[in-house]
Amino acid sequence: MKKKKSSAPPGPRPKKRRRHRRGPGILISLLCLVLICAAILAAVTVFFKVKRVTVSGESRYSSEEVLEAAGIAEGENLFFLNKVAITNRIFRDRPYLDTVSIRRKFPDTVEIVLQDCVPSAVVSFENRYWLVDKKGKILEEISQEQTAGYCLVTGLELEDPQVGEYLDFSQQEQGKALSIILNTAENSGILKEIMGIDMTKLFEIRLQYTERFVVELGTVEELEKKISFLNQVVERLGSTDTGVIDLTDPQTARFRPQ
């Protein structure tokens, strides 16, 4: 007899996954987001307008002169103010300024904070005289008579000096050396005693120190140590001594009376 094939009972049918249809919820959410952004933009545009501009800080310029250079119009939007453009306009028209900070004060005020440059020396070039700060920024062109009381720098080669710009040197090493001298002398408290700097030769820099001494500096190598030697020599000399102080050797100082 033939055996009947036994068949296993059929298992449960796999459930079909239902496809979830995206309803209008996402569109509504996007629409709400757009409306919220539009409302915020409208509020910023309508409510945050400039009504007052203040000027603070130490400066030779009056508030009116600074506001004229800034060019901020009443009613401009506080958020959309171009602070970089405003700062550049002020620097261009008011060269004595060292720092300019533009601050927004909500809901309707702009504050301009200023700090002036401090004149450090006068650079002589081609019979013209340029008043500069210790960073080499040209503050103004002055006459020869106005150079009295400033350290007069000679022997430099410049490229098209312009008020409000920084000194551009034909020999970049001259610029580096001048910066080192002005900054180190100021930090050491002797810049006001230096009447002149001759930088015709970078390896034979000479200073006129008060009316009594010519200082043979040589190079700016180890300048802080050289200035320390200079102070020691001056302290040991009498009030009427004059002569040459040789600082070309960073390890010692020599005095030659005249």
Side-chain angles (χ1 to χ4, degrees), residues 17-196:
R17 294 182 180 178
R18 294 182 180 179
R19 294 183 180 178
H20 296 281
R21 295 181 179 178
R22 296 181 179 180
I26 293 179
L27 294 177
I28 294 175
S29 299
L30 290 175
L31 181 59
C32 290
L33 181 61
V34 170
L35 291 175
I36 292 172
C37 292
I40 293 173
L41 181 60
V44 167
T45 304
V46 172
F47 295 109
F48 296 100
K49 292 186 176 181
V50 176
K51 293 182 180 178
R52 193 163 67 103
V53 183
T54 64
V55 179
S56 62
E58 297 294 329
S59 177
R60 63 170 48 208
Y61 300 114
S62 67
S63 296
E64 291 74 17
E65 289 174 318
V66 175
L67 293 176
E68 180 184 0
I72 302 174
E74 185 176 349
E76 284 193 57
N77 188 274
L78 201 60
F79 275 100
F80 300 148
L81 281 178
N82 189 332
K83 297 198 292 184
V84 174
I86 295 170
T87 301
N88 289 340
R89 287 198 297 267
I90 296 174
F91 274 131
R92 182 191 62 208
D93 294 341
R94 305 293 179 250
Y96 261 90
L97 290 173
D98 184 30
T99 61
V100 175
S101 177
I102 310 296
R103 301 174 182 173
R104 299 182 180 94
K105 289 193 170 183
F106 295 99
D108 57 12
T109 301
V110 177
E111 182 183 22
I112 303 175
V113 183
L114 310 173
Q115 181 66 49
D116 270 0
C117 298
V118 178
S120 294
V122 174
V123 174
S124 173
F125 178 64
E126 294 183 345
N127 296 320
R128 299 174 72 179
Y129 301 90
W130 306 95
L131 185 63
V132 302
D133 71 355
K134 65 179 182 179
K135 293 184 288 188
K137 183 180 181 181
I138 302 175
L139 307 180
E140 64 175 307
E141 183 178 3
I142 61 177
S143 66
Q144 186 175 8
E145 292 74 20
Q146 292 175 301
T147 63
Y150 292 108
C151 171
L152 182 62
V153 184
T154 58
L156 297 176
E157 293 292 329
L158 304 180
E159 297 285 345
D160 190 25
Q162 298 289 334
V163 173
E165 303 294 333
Y166 288 87
L167 293 171
D168 186 10
F169 299 89
S170 300
Q171 301 178 43
Q172 294 303 315
E173 292 302 317
Q174 284 188 332
K176 294 178 182 178
L178 177 61
S179 177
I180 291 172
I181 293 172
L182 293 179
N183 282 276
T184 306
E186 182 178 274
N187 294 337
S188 302
I190 68 166
L191 182 58
K192 61 183 179 180
E193 306 295 339
I194 300 176
M195 300 177 63

Side-chain angles (χ1 to χ4, degrees), residues 9 13 18 67 73-75 91 120 160 184 191 195 198 208 215 217-218 225 232 236 238 241 247 250:
R13 294 182 179 179
R18 294 182 180 179
L67 293 176
E74 185 176 349
F91 274 131
S120 294
D160 190 25
T184 306
L191 182 58
M195 300 177 63
D198 182 358
Q208 180 63 49
V215 178
L217 196 62
K225 182 185 291 187
Q232 294 174 31
R236 293 173 184 172
D241 288 330
L247 299 176

